[in-house]
Amino acid sequence: MKLKQNEIRKLVLILAVTAQLMGCISTRGQKMKTEDLSGTYILETDLKYQALSNDKNYSSLELHKNGRYILNKAAITFTPVIEQCTYASKGRWSVVAGNLIEITSEDHYEKQQGFEYDLKNENKLSQDSLYIQVVFPTDFHPVHLNFTFNHNNSKSIKTDKTYIVLSKSQYLRSAANQVAFSLSANFFGAPLSKSRTTFNIFFEELIDTKVNNYLTITLPNFDRCFFEFEPYNGEFIYVKNSNQLVWQGEIWQK
């Protein structure tokens, strides 16, 4: 069957468009390489006071060739009084199927320094009571203190005070007692929070409360930066091209 000239043109056009689409599909389906994507991506935003933003307080995302990432915070330049944190999160990144990057923060696979504590046992004051003093490195500690005794939830206490006095007869057994201590973030009044909500300090400290009734728990590294660390577990970032990422609804430009 002989094709007319205009039909031939249509056929050529259809073949050309099909070839172009197949090429795009093939390119999008290719898995980007680590060396192609590693680098520093700057967050493009029109916020005047980016460092004070609740949801866009970032400057850049660093993707290193060794598989590590650092999510940097925007620096406050107009007042040095406020305690500043250089990064919001850090951990591992990898390229997954298609044009996607996956990140997992370090708190999901290693113990951070902020969980370190020192426990001092003493015997003083009234023997009818248990005294607990929690010491933070700074005055910044927007958390509730949670104590549980002998794995009994009915024998537990939650308070925002760093010094508490408890009745032994109400909370403890006669001799050795197992004490669990955790912190829960107090987000009351906060418009947005991306940090962790619970910090488990220790689970089963065995304390002879007949011998020692005054406990001092020191948290030397529980500061603002540890508290505000942002956890990510299997978070996906879209690769628009080798120089642009799309994440949290924003463009990050290399």
Side-chain angles (χ1 to χ4, degrees), residues 25-249:
I25 293 171
S26 176
T27 301
R28 290 180 180 176
Q30 290 175 0
K31 185 175 177 180
M32 302 289 285
K33 296 180 181 178
T34 300
E35 53 266 27
D36 297 330
L37 295 174
S38 60
T40 300
Y41 295 82
I42 308 299
L43 173 61
E44 295 186 346
T45 178
D46 56 358
L47 288 178
K48 187 175 181 180
Y49 300 105
Q50 186 175 345
L52 300 180
S53 170
N54 288 313
D55 59 342
K56 299 175 184 176
N57 180 16
Y58 310 119
S59 62
S60 63
L61 175 64
E62 299 178 20
L63 301 180
H64 297 273
K65 290 183 179 179
N66 62 0
R68 304 283 293 182
Y69 81 86
I70 300 176
L71 177 60
N72 294 303
K73 282 200 168 187
I76 300 175
T77 57
F78 48 86
T79 169
V81 178
I82 301 176
E83 181 185 0
Q84 297 191 47
C85 306
T86 57
Y87 64 86
S89 183
K90 60 181 181 178
R92 296 172 179 165
W93 73 280
S94 61
V95 183
V96 295
N99 292 358
L100 290 176
I101 289 173
E102 183 181 48
I103 64 172
T104 296
S105 52
E106 66 178 14
D107 61 309
H108 285 282
Y109 55 84
E110 67 180 39
K111 193 84 168 177
Q112 294 180 303
Q113 288 186 336
F115 289 102
E116 294 177 358
Y117 68 94
D118 176 69
L119 177 62
K120 182 180 180 182
N121 298 319
E122 299 176 275
N123 187 17
K124 57 183 181 180
L125 304 181
S126 171
Q127 298 303 306
D128 295 332
S129 300
L130 175 69
Y131 303 84
I132 302 178
Q133 174 78 58
V134 180
V135 181
F136 291 90
T138 66
D139 291 334
F140 179 85
H141 43 81
V143 292
H144 294 293
L145 281 61
N146 309 310
F147 291 95
T148 303
F149 304 95
N150 303 310
H151 305 288
N152 187 345
N153 289 331
S154 66
K155 304 292 184 180
S156 63
I157 185 171
K158 180 177 182 179
T159 178
D160 58 358
K161 301 182 184 301
T162 57
Y163 177 72
I164 58 176
V165 181
L166 303 174
S167 168
K168 282 186 176 181
S169 61
Q170 182 178 352
Y171 289 94
L172 305 179
R173 296 190 296 228
S174 58
N177 288 268
Q178 288 180 323
V179 181
F181 173 44
S182 66
L183 304 170
S184 56
N186 180 9
F187 292 135
F188 180 77
L192 178 70
S193 178
K194 296 183 179 180
S195 63
R196 293 164 288 201
T197 59
T198 304
F199 305 86
N200 294 312
I201 306 303
F202 57 76
F203 292 97
E204 295 184 351
E205 281 285 357
L206 188 62
I207 300 169
D208 190 342
T209 50
K210 260 191 173 181
V211 177
N212 299 295
N213 69 327
Y214 197 106
L215 313 179
T216 302
I217 306 169
T218 302
L219 304 171
N221 302 308
F222 197 101
D223 57 10
R224 176 188 289 270
C225 297
F226 173 72
F227 175 78
E228 293 182 353
F229 182 89
E230 296 182 13
Y232 296 100
N233 187 15
E235 175 87 358
F236 291 117
I237 300 173
Y238 175 70
V239 180
K240 188 173 182 179
N241 54 57
S242 58
N243 294 313
Q244 286 186 325
L245 304 177
V246 179
W247 185 38
Q248 299 185 1

